[in-house]
């Protein structure tokens, strides 16, 4: 018998190509993964080698606390039905270029299954469903499966059903009753089971548990097979169909041809052409002329070209990780092929040794959006979607503010100091440019920081003149207030505008100028202790870690004293986008920001415009009426000042804040005491929010009780926290500061 390879060398390229078949057509795969979170990195490697259109997963073993972003695949949407972290659960990954809708209403209750309907234009819809039947479960699941087949049989659509039914369909003389029942159902509804090989192979058993089912004698089925993978003890099964489905769009980026750049000539051309900029006394005209000259000369010396890039590239996926994955799958393939206990042993050692552990953040966020809902309409087309989302972003703030009745704002204690802007030196400008991250994306003007750093001395004098004009006149140039908006999906339905947050990508010159203003303003704020001690965001020596340590230390101290902690986690609706400019400017004045500095910040906020970019297509320009830009230097600092006085409204609780993430903590010995304190300060916070034209999201605001096990037994009585007729949900655990860690 052939023995396995003894070293851990890489699998050759030829062997890699044999491990993973080439897929032609519309491909649907099924894999029982025995814990999605445990194997998500291995799945991300697999998807780069076998680029499925639809990937069905069984035994996800996750619950609702696991966010889609934690288990995402680059370039795919995800729909799922969870059980818990101990077993069960199903999910379907759908390539994000494929139009589809979820069909949850045709799935019977109390089963682990999901169903989608792929809707290709001018073609028959395809129903795709995946099922998981737990081992040793009763026959009721097959009854539910029959109800499902009845539901879809009347729709006259293409059908593909995958899943791990835990019913062995390998030919056998002693066929059990469940196998007979399943085959009878398939015959009744004229369906065929395509997989003919074992899908779970051990050293002693071979069973066919993972199935692909479609209509009998379906001529569109081209290829069906089983692939031995080392990800789990189940093999992957797949089928390819002769159906035209749009594959993933290549990502097109604009890049400058730096290899053709004569840097000495470029600098000399710029220096000569920019000499007259110092003659301008208006920041707007000076910057407009500077931009025109810079782009003209840059396009001559380093022209822009379009380049295709792999949109599924993931930097954490090193060659070593991929080689380890290939070698593991190679060993399993040999173990199954040769029925070799030696290969089985080597495969298990490789699998156990090779758990992929990567410390980088692999959260997947994709901006590919196929459709968006607007009222009763379903908006398609990249430009239409971009315009719809852009309009939503600029209108959401005023809409939320319009439903709040104006109330008086409690006065802020005036600061005795006064903030003064000072002119900057060439050295400060050079240092600020040098500290700007090369990886920062350029704005709509397409001037990258790399190009700014390359030209060096050629632009320092002209930029210094413009920036000092801005600081002296209090006029923030209009060209620097135009932002490219990238919608970032958070959670929930990708067709809902409310499930996106806007990230502003501003021009490189705006980044540099904002950083200069930020440094001066931040220094004044820190020197005068203006930011409250409860705010941990955007302050020196403060972070999410210090915020969490402060909270947990206090909670533990209270528990040591025999007390319980009541913690209220506030959620604000579109907080950054709903900042009222007039209220913000009033508060800035009280903090000692007056005269030209206040005029400059008012100019910065006023008449800002934005363009939303979806799938590389741009919307029209829209004017922003309220809010501060996320993704900028000044935006988060201004927001911190806006909510800085929130802790002043509290009577019974202590606040802990990181930007708009806020929790309120109180202590008590009885449920009644905790309930009273949280309700009282929730009402106080609600009044403060209304006065500042911000909105509490009661659906996502939650509270929990933190105490020793003994103390928690005394809190069996229901605690009722409520505001404006809405009941606040109690939770047993909470993931805090999730967007900043």
């Amino acid at each position: 018998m052939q023995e396995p390879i003894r070293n851990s060398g890489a699998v050759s390229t030829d062997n890699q190509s044999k491990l993973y078949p080439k897929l032609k057509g519309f491909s649907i795969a099924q894999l029982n993964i025995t814990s999605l979170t445990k194997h998500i990195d291995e799945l991300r490697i697999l998807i780069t080698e076998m680029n499925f259109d639809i990937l069905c997963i069984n035994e996800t073993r996750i619950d609702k606390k696991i966010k889609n972003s934690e288990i995402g695949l680059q370039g795919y949407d995800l729909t799922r039905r969870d059980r818990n972290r101990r077993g069960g659960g199903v999910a379907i990954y759908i390539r994000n270029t494929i139009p589809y809708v979820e069909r949850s209403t045709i799935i019977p209750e109390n089963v682990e299954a999901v169903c989608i309907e792929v809707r290709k234009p001018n073609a028959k819809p395809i129903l795709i469903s995946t099922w998981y039947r737990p081992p040793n479960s009763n026959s009721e699941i097959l009854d539910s499966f029959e109800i499902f087949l009845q539901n879809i049989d009347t729709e006259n659509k293409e059908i593909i059903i995958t899943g791990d039914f835990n019913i062995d369909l390998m030919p056998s003389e002693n066929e059990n009753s469940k196998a007979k029942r399943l085959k009878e159902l398939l015959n009744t509804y004229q369906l065929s089971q395509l997989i003919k090989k074992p899908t779970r192979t051990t050293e002693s058993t071979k069973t066919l548990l993972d199935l692909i089912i479609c209509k009998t004698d379906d001529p569109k089925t081209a290829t069906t097979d089983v692939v031995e993978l080392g990800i789990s003890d189940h093999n992957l099964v797949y089928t390819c169909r002769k159906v035209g489905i749009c594959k993933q769009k290549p990502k097109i980026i604009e890049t400058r041809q730096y290899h053709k750049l004569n840097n000495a000539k470029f600098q000399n051309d710029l220096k000569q052409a920019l000499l007259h900029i110092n003659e301008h006394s208006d920041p707007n005209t000076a910057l407009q002329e500077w931009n025109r000259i810079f782009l003209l000369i840059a396009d001559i010396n380093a022209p822009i070209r379009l380049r295709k890039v792999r949109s599924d590239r993931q930097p954490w996926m090193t060659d070593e990780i991929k080689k380890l994955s290939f070698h593991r799958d190679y060993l399993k393939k040999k173990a199954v092929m040769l029925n070799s206990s030696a290969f089985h042993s080597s495969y298990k050692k490789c699998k156990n040794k090779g758990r992929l552990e990567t410390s980088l953040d692999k959260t997947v966020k994709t901006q590919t959006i196929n459709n968006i809902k607007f009222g009763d309409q379903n908006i398609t087309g990249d430009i239409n979607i971009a315009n719809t989302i852009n309009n939503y972003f600029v209108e959401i703030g005023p809409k939320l503010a319009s439903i709040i009745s104006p109330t008086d704002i409690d006065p802020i204690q005036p600061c005795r100091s006064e903030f003064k802007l000072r002119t900057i030196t060439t050295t400060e400008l050079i240092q600020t440019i040098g500290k700007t991250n090369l990886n920062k994306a350029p704005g709509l003007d397409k001037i990258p920081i790399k190009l700014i750093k390359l030209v060096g001395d050629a632009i320092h004098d002209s930029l210094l003149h413009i920036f000092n004009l801005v600081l002296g006149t209090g006029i923030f140039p209009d060209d620097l207030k135009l932002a490219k908006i990238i919608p970032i999906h958070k959670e929930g339905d990708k067709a809902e505008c409310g499930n996106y947050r806007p990230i502003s990508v501003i021009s490189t010159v705006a980044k540099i100028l904002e950083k200069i203003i930020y440094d001066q303003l931040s220094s004044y704020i820190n020197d005068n202790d203006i930011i409250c001690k409860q705010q941990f965001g955007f302050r020196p020596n403060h972070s999410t870690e210090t915020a969490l340590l402060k909270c947990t230390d206090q909670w533990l101290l209270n528990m040591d004293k025999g007390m319980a902690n009541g913690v209220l986690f506030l959620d604000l609706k579109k907080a950054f986008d709903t900042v009222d400019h007039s209220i913000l400017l009033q508060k800035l004045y009280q903090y000692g920001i007056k005269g030209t500095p206040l005029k400059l910040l008012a100019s910065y906020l006023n008449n800002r415009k934005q363009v939303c970019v979806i799938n590389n297509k741009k919307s029209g320009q829209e004017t922003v009426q309220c809010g501060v830009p996320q993704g900028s230097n000044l935006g988060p600092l201004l927001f911190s000042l806006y909510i800085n006085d929130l802790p002043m409204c509290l009577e019974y609780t202590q606040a802990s804040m990181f930007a708009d993430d806020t929790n309120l903590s109180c202590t008590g010995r009885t449920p009644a005491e905790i309930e009273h304190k949280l309700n009282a300060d929730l009402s106080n916070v609600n009044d403060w929010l209304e006065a500042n034209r911000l909105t509490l999201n009661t659906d996502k605001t939650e509270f929990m009780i933190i105490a020793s096990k003994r103390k928690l037994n005394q809190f069996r009585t229901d605690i009722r926290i409520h505001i404006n007729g809405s009941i606040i949900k109690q939770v047993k655990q909470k993931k805090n500061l999730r967007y900043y860690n």
Side-chain angles (χ1 to χ4, degrees), residues 542 662 696:
H542 289 71
T662 301
L696 183 70

Side-chain angles (χ1 to χ4, degrees), residues 421-477:
L421 287 165
R422 57 176 178 78
T423 57
I424 61 168
T425 65
T426 303
T427 301
E428 288 176 295
L429 176 62
I430 293 171
Q431 289 175 346
T432 304
I433 292 174
K435 292 177 183 177
T436 306
N437 192 337
L438 277 171
N439 294 323
K440 292 290 186 181
L444 289 166
D445 61 7
K446 302 177 184 178
I447 300 177
I449 184 60
K450 180 177 180 179
L451 207 55
I452 295 287
K453 291 186 176 186
L454 275 175
V455 296
D457 293 341
I459 61 170
H460 290 157
D461 288 346
S462 55
L463 273 185
L464 188 68
H465 174 72
I466 294 171
F467 289 175
N468 280 327
L469 272 180
V470 171
L471 300 178
T473 62
I475 299 172
F476 199 91

